[in-house]
Amino acid sequence: MLVTESISTASLTLTPLKVADAAEMVDVLSEPALYAFTGGIPPTLDDLEERYRHQSAGVAWGDEIWHNWILRLDGRAIGYMQATVKGDNADLAWVVGVPWQGFGYATEASEAMRDWLRDRGAASFSAHIHPDHSASNRIAARLGLQPTGQLDDDGEMLWE
């Protein structure tokens, strides 16, 4: 299995997810506005610790591999990045805390994550994004993805 490694960019570091990150991330994910397009509510510390225990295992189902990173600016957690790899396709996801949105961090980190995955054999990329989430739609387009017109069960558009 491909090990998730740290990734550095000009301004950011993506560090492999650990259960201990939950304590810092509970504040990053506390803003209800983060859930406007995905639904749900801010997680509790116990919720995050349980989720991170599962995610940090690195294996989803069968031949899927999960890669999860905490997005850091000057060492401080500001969001997270995810990739689910199956075969040579990587499905990408990103979340940046509200105070750090609008500065290009999600784009910078997503491009670095894509490049890291490409260097390790990923040949195609996808993302599931709510059609009204204009910021994430712009990030997907910057990654070279295009909307397919297919909506999933959660009402998100598949981009490839």
Side-chain angles (χ1 to χ4, degrees):
M1 178 172 77
L2 179 62
V3 175
T4 305
E5 300 169 333
S6 292
I7 303 169
S8 294
T9 72
S11 12
L12 305 166
T13 305
L14 287 70
T15 59
L17 176 73
K18 301 180 308 273
V19 175
D21 292 321
E24 193 174 7
M25 287 299 293
V26 74
D27 289 333
V28 173
L29 301 176
S30 66
E31 178 59 50
L34 281 176
Y35 308 92
F37 296 105
T38 60
I41 59 174
T44 66
L45 178 58
D46 288 342
D47 293 338
L48 274 185
E49 287 174 341
E50 179 60 28
R51 182 182 311 162
Y52 288 0
R53 252 188 294 287
H54 184 63
Q55 289 177 334
S56 63
V59 178
W61 309 104
D63 59 351
E64 288 184 356
I65 299 171
W66 287 347
H67 295 285
N68 294 279
W69 293 270
I70 299 299
L71 178 57
R72 296 185 176 281
L73 175 66
D74 297 326
R76 179 179 182 187
I78 65 168
Y80 65 85
M81 310 300 291
Q82 298 178 320
T84 301
V85 179
K86 185 172 184 175
D88 66 356
N89 179 262
D91 193 60
L92 310 177
W94 51 85
V95 171
V96 172
V98 172
W100 303 280
Q101 292 178 3
F103 297 99
Y105 298 135
T107 300
E108 182 178 342
S110 296
E111 289 172 341
M113 175 176 58
R114 178 206 54 206
D115 294 346
W116 184 88
L117 291 160
R118 184 180 289 143
D119 290 347
R120 284 150 185 82
S124 63
F125 298 91
S126 57
H128 294 81
I129 303 169
H130 192 283
D132 297 331
H133 197 306
S134 58
S136 283
N137 289 329
R138 285 191 302 273
I139 293 166
R142 292 276 313 260
L143 292 171
L145 305 178
Q146 297 180 353
T148 64
Q150 296 177 350
L151 293 179
D152 65 20
D153 293 339
D154 294 325
E156 294 183 325
M157 176 72 64
L158 172 63
W159 287 68
E160 295 183 319

